[in-house]
């Protein structure tokens, strides 16, 4: 549910928060953005991905061309400074946009890294950002039971593709490794990291990481809209270097890019 602010967008119009319909159901098309200092980060990238998801799901919404202006107006009307903004198209084709409870990593998480583990699961359609309740519920249960920040998805071939709510990168020998685009949801921050690697002259190798070989890498990190670039300290019992120079340079450049945006 939308719990923050006083208004939402519903089917192209500003409506009272009380007029919302419940969200968070299986097979919803959605997009998650981050508002920081009253600005929506990378809004054009997010709207392009939302458009691609709609097309992949064979859905559409009225007034899509004015959605950017509607979102910016929504942020101003609610006087939101720092929060997550969620766009949702329900299975009944009701479109809503509003602010959802948001939690971000602590400073020490960026310094010490976060714990993760593997889970056998797969996003049914990685090219579309669609809510899959079974996968998310299983991952959230694992995270709660084991005290994890994130769960890394392993497919039927024993390959790590992405996180339950993030993309994942591994670092080894001065190279950065991530699963091929066709196997993952194309995260906005993931794309920015790949661009940053190009600027740094760091090779990006597109290959799914075999779950049995994760100890061969020096470092690992996840990327997402809320967390940006977040070091991984552990995947199960395998520990990583959270001070890895390549990863830390990527983090610094990402913060610079965010500030410019």
């Amino acid at each position: 549910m939308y719990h923050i602010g006083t208004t939402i967008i519903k089917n192209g119009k500003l409506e009272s928060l009380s007029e919302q319909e419940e969200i968070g159901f299986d097979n919803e098309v959605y997009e998650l953005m981050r508002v920081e200092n009253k600005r929506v980060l990378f809004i054009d990238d997010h709207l392009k991905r939302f458009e691609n998801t709609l097309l992949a799901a064979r859905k559409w919404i009225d007034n899509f061309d004015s959605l950017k202006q509607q979102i910016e107006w929504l942020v101003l009307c609610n006087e939101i400074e720092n929060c997550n903004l969620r766009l949702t198209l329900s299975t009944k084709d009701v479109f809503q946009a509003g602010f959802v409870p948001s939690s971000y990593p602590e400073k020490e998480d960026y310094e010490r890294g976060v714990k993760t583990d593997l889970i056998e699961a797969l996003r049914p359609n990685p090219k579309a950002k669609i809510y899959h309740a079974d996968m998310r519920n299983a991952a959230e249960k694992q995270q709660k039971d084991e005290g994890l920040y994130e769960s890394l998805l392993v497919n039927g071939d024993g390959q790590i593709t992405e996180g339950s709510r993030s993309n994942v990168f591994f670092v080894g020998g001065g190279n950065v490794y991530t699963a091929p685009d066709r196997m993952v949801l194309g995260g906005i921050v993931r794309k920015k990291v790949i661009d940053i690697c190009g600027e740094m002259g760091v090779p990006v190798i597109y290959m799914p990481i075999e779950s049995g070989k994760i100890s061969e890498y020096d470092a690992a990190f996840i990327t997402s809209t809320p967390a940006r670039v977040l070091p991984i300290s552990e995947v199960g019992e395998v520990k990583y270097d959270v001070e890895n120079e390549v990863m830390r340079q990527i983090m610094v450049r990402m913060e610079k890019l965010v500030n410019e945006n």
Side-chain angles (χ1 to χ4, degrees), residues 17-82:
L17 197 66
S18 62
E19 296 298 317
Q20 69 177 292
E21 296 188 19
E22 192 171 355
I23 61 174
F25 294 104
D26 205 26
N27 293 319
E28 287 179 344
V29 173
Y30 76 103
E31 182 68 31
L32 191 70
M33 306 180 181
R34 180 169 176 175
V35 179
E36 189 166 341
N37 297 324
K38 301 181 180 180
R39 300 292 297 272
V40 182
L41 295 179
F42 310 129
I43 186 171
D44 292 327
D45 297 278
H46 280 288
L47 289 177
K48 184 60 179 177
R49 183 172 67 177
F50 186 53
E51 179 182 18
N52 290 338
T53 296
L54 290 171
L55 293 173
R58 297 182 179 179
K59 302 276 189 178
W60 197 245
I61 64 171
D62 294 332
N63 305 313
F64 184 89
D65 292 341
S66 62
L67 185 54
K68 180 178 180 179
Q69 289 76 18
Q70 292 179 42
I71 290 170
E72 292 172 339
W73 183 241
L74 187 68
V75 173
L76 290 173
C77 287
N78 288 276
E79 299 182 346
I80 297 296
E81 292 198 12
N82 297 286

Side-chain angles (χ1 to χ4, degrees), residues 30-207:
Y30 76 103
E31 182 68 31
L32 191 70
M33 306 180 181
R34 180 169 176 175
V35 179
E36 189 166 341
N37 297 324
K38 301 181 180 180
R39 300 292 297 272
V40 182
L41 295 179
F42 310 129
I43 186 171
D44 292 327
D45 297 278
H46 280 288
L47 289 177
K48 184 60 179 177
R49 183 172 67 177
F50 186 53
E51 179 182 18
N52 290 338
T53 296
L54 290 171
L55 293 173
R58 297 182 179 179
K59 302 276 189 178
W60 197 245
I61 64 171
D62 294 332
N63 305 313
F64 184 89
D65 292 341
S66 62
L67 185 54
K68 180 178 180 179
Q69 289 76 18
Q70 292 179 42
I71 290 170
E72 292 172 339
W73 183 241
L74 187 68
V75 173
L76 290 173
C77 287
N78 288 276
E79 299 182 346
I80 297 296
E81 292 198 12
N82 297 286
C83 193
N84 284 347
L85 170 66
R86 193 181 199 270
L87 313 183
T88 304
L89 181 64
S90 74
T91 54
K92 297 179 180 179
D93 293 333
V94 176
F95 173 72
Q96 297 180 111
F99 305 99
V100 293
S102 312
S103 61
Y104 304 115
E106 301 290 340
K107 181 180 178 181
E108 65 180 19
D109 293 328
Y110 292 100
E111 295 172 349
R112 302 176 185 176
V114 295
K115 296 181 179 181
T116 68
D117 206 348
L118 306 179
I119 185 171
E120 292 186 4
L122 188 66
R123 193 185 301 275
N125 183 1
K127 302 306 293 182
K129 198 168 178 67
I130 296 175
Y131 189 82
H132 298 291
D134 289 346
M135 182 269 286
R136 289 293 292 271
N137 290 340
E140 288 173 4
K141 183 179 186 303
Q142 182 194 47
Q143 292 156 27
K144 182 179 179 181
D145 292 347
E146 300 180 26
L148 308 175
Y149 181 86
E150 175 63 305
S151 302
L152 304 184
L153 309 185
V154 180
N155 64 20
D157 296 321
Q159 301 169 326
I160 300 172
T161 54
E162 56 191 330
S164 68
R165 51 196 169 92
S166 66
N167 292 116
V168 61
F169 292 80
F170 288 80
V171 185
N175 299 324
V176 169
Y177 297 81
T178 190
D181 292 348
R182 70 179 185 278
M183 300 179 71
V184 302
L185 179 67
I188 304 304
V189 178
R190 177 181 185 268
K191 178 179 180 296
K192 302 299 182 185
V193 164
I194 291 170
D195 291 342
I196 287 171
C197 287
E199 295 169 1
M200 292 171 55
V202 174
V204 177
I205 298 176
Y206 295 91
M207 56 177 279

